[in-house]
Amino acid sequence: MTILVVEDDAVQRRLLRFFLEQQGYRVIGVSNVSEALTCIQHGLPDALLLDAMLPDGSGLDVCRQIRQLPEGQTLPILLLTAYDIEPVIVEAFEAGATDFIAKPVNLKLLERRLYHLLRAARHEAALREREQQYRTLVNTLPDVVIRGRRDGPVTYFKPSETCPAEMFDLEITPDTRLAAVLPAEGVTRIEHALNNLTAETQLTVEYRAQCQGVWREFEARLIADGPDTFVALIRDVTDRKTTERLREDFTAMVAHDIRSPLTAMQMALELLEAQDAYANQNLQEIVSVARQGLNKVLQLAGDLLELFRANQTGMTLLKGVVFPTVLLKRCVGEISLQAQGKNIELTLDAPEDLPPFVGDGPKLERVVSNLLSNALKFTPEGGRITVSGAADGEWVVISVADTGPGIAPELQATMFEPYRQGGKHRSLGVGLGLAIVKRIVTAHRGRISVESVEGQGTTFTVRLPLHLS
C-alpha cells in the first residue's frame, strides 16, 4: 500500500519514511503543497500523512482539493499538527481530515491510527462497491422498487417504464409517503398487507390503476427489511394476466364445445355394444379401445372445465359426512385388479376408527383416486404402493407412497401448477390432475405435500382438518 507523506521538515520526513517502510508500506515523500498536488494528479495514494503548516500554503487546502475529487471522498487523511487545540482540530475536520495526530509524532500511536484508518477505508470501499452493484441490479429490474418504513415514510423509490414521466424526477424527502408514489388502491392494499408482514414471510398483493388513461394490473411483492422497514417490488402484470385469461377462456370454450360430440359418440358406442347380434370378438375389442380413449378425452374435457370454474369462482363443495377409512377402501378396491395385473403390491394401512369429518366426499375420493392412478402409472412391475390413513390431533392425514422413479427436486415445487408434469418419468397426460387435487384440498382448508427421492419413490401427503369452517 502507498502512503504519501507531506512534511516540510526533512529530518521528520526521512524518519517517517523509514518507519513506514519498516511496516511494509511504499512511501512517497514531498515537502510542500505544490509537490503534493502534482503527485496526486498522477494518482491517489492509499493514505495521506499531511502536515498542517507548509511553506507554500496550508495542508488543509490539500484536504479540500482531494475531497472535491470523486475518488478522494474516502481517502484516509491523517493530519500532523503541533497545535492540537479545539479550533484547529475543528477546522481540520471541516476541511476533510479523517483524523489527526499531534507533534512530536508518537510512532507507535501513528502505526495504530494508520492501521485502523486503512482498514476502515477498505471496508468503506467494499461497502460502496456492493452498494453500487445493488443499485445497478435494482436499476435493471423492470419493477417499481420502494423501500419505506411501516409507519409511513418512503426512503427510496425507483420508477418503472409504466410510471408517468414526472415520477422519474420525484425527489424523496422525509415527508414522502406511499400516496405520493402509488395510486390509492395500491396504497390501501399494501398498507393493509404490511400489518401481516413478518420477517419469515413474503406477501403478494394485486391492484389496478390507470396509467396514461389505460387501466393496468399490478402485482406487489412485499419483503420485510428489518423490524420497521419493508421493500416492495411492483410489476406490471397486465400482459401476463390478459394472456392467462385468454388461455383459460379458450380452454373452457374448447372443453365445453367438445363434450357434446364426445357424449354423442359415447352413446353410439354403448348402443353398438348393447346389440344382441353383436358377436364379433375383434370388433368388440376395437369398440373397447375406442371407449377407453373416448373416456379419457371426456375426463380431460371435464378436468379443463373444473379447473376453469375453480379459477373463476372458486371450488364449490357439496358438504357431507366423510368416513375416511371407507373412502380409502373404496379407492384402493377400484385399482386393485390393475395393480395385480402389474404384479404391484398394494397395501392399505388405516384404522377402522378414523374420525369422520365434514367435506365433499366425491371430490376427496377423486383426490385419492388421482394420487393412486399416478402411483400405479409410474410404479414398475414388482413395485409397491402403500396407502395410509391416520389421525393427527385436529387433522386426518392420508398418504400415498410408491416405489416409482421419483421426481427431481427442482420439479417438485411447481408440479401442482396446471400443465406441469413431473419430468421425463412422469410425462403422460397434460398435467391437470395434480392441479385439481391441490385445489380440492385447498378448498377443504387442507394441505398437500410431496416427498420424493429419484430412484427410490414418491410420497404424497394430504392433511385435512376435522372441522371445516
Side-chain angles (χ1 to χ4, degrees), residues 75-374:
L75 176 69
I77 300 177
L78 185 58
L79 193 70
L80 310 177
T81 177
Y83 304 99
D84 58 345
I85 57 177
E86 183 178 339
V88 173
I89 301 307
V90 170
E91 184 183 6
F93 284 135
E94 289 176 348
T98 311
D99 203 350
F100 75 97
I101 191 166
K103 291 184 175 182
V105 176
N106 182 315
L107 296 179
K108 189 66 176 178
L109 180 60
L110 171 63
E111 176 193 355
R112 300 313 300 167
R113 288 263 178 94
L114 193 57
Y115 169 79
H116 288 294
L117 287 177
L118 287 169
R119 186 175 68 170
R122 288 195 300 271
H123 288 169
E124 184 173 356
L127 286 174
R128 284 176 177 267
E129 183 180 0
R130 282 198 291 271
E131 180 183 5
Q132 184 57 46
Q133 290 173 348
Y134 290 142
R135 286 187 178 277
T136 301
L137 177 62
V138 167
N139 288 334
T140 60
L141 292 174
D143 308 323
V144 171
V145 180
I146 297 173
R147 186 178 186 271
R149 295 178 55 84
R150 292 174 186 255
D151 57 1
V154 172
T155 58
Y156 176 80
F157 172 74
K158 181 195 79 71
S160 71
E161 59 183 15
T162 58
C163 292
E166 61 269 18
M167 300 300 289
F168 288 85
D169 299 321
L170 180 67
E171 181 180 355
I172 300 299
T173 70
D175 296 324
T176 303
R177 296 295 189 269
L178 278 177
V181 297
L182 291 177
E185 182 180 347
V187 173
T188 300
R189 290 181 179 271
I190 289 177
E191 288 181 340
H192 178 74
L194 288 176
N195 294 327
N196 302 312
L197 183 64
T198 66
E200 294 77 24
T201 62
Q202 293 185 15
L203 299 180
T204 300
V205 298
E206 297 181 353
Y207 65 90
R208 297 174 71 243
Q210 273 195 320
C211 296
Q212 302 175 6
V214 179
W215 282 100
R216 311 287 295 181
E217 297 180 73
F218 295 90
E219 183 179 271
R221 185 154 58 95
L222 305 178
I223 306 166
D225 185 29
D228 301 318
T229 55
F230 71 94
V231 173
L233 303 177
I234 304 173
R235 178 167 296 187
D236 186 336
V237 294
T238 306
D239 294 340
R240 191 191 78 194
K241 292 286 187 180
T242 301
T243 302
E244 289 176 355
R245 281 192 288 268
L246 287 173
R247 185 181 68 183
E248 290 177 353
D249 291 345
F250 176 76
T251 300
M253 179 186 66
V254 171
H256 180 273
D257 291 349
I258 203 174
R259 291 189 71 176
S260 294
L262 289 175
T263 302
M265 292 169 62
Q266 187 181 44
M267 292 175 62
L269 287 173
E270 290 175 353
L271 286 173
L272 189 58
E273 284 183 319
Q275 294 292 326
D276 293 338
Y278 184 78
N280 188 317
Q281 184 64 32
N282 291 333
L283 198 55
Q284 280 186 347
E285 293 177 0
I286 293 172
V287 172
S288 176
V289 171
R291 286 197 64 184
Q292 290 177 17
L294 185 61
N295 288 337
K296 288 182 180 179
V297 177
L298 280 169
Q299 181 65 47
L300 173 60
D303 288 347
L304 288 169
L305 277 175
E306 184 167 356
L307 192 60
F308 172 75
R309 290 167 183 156
N311 288 339
Q312 293 294 103
T313 61
M315 182 75 68
T316 301
L317 300 180
L318 301 177
K319 298 176 184 177
V321 179
V322 177
F323 295 90
T325 303
V326 175
L327 182 148
L328 293 177
K329 285 182 177 180
R330 186 159 52 241
C331 293
V332 169
E334 289 175 355
I335 70 159
S336 59
L337 289 178
Q338 299 176 61
Q340 290 177 17
K342 289 184 66 176
N343 193 29
I344 291 174
E345 178 185 347
L346 178 61
T347 305
L348 173 61
D349 179 16
E352 294 288 344
D353 59 349
L354 274 181
F357 60 92
V358 175
D360 188 325
K363 281 188 170 64
L364 291 175
E365 189 171 324
R366 182 172 182 182
V367 167
V368 179
S369 295
N370 186 286
L371 297 178
L372 278 172
S373 176
N374 282 344

Side-chain angles (χ1 to χ4, degrees), residues 398-414:
I398 296 170
S399 64
V400 177
D402 64 54
T403 56
I407 306 167
E410 64 271 15
L411 299 174
Q412 295 176 26
T414 59

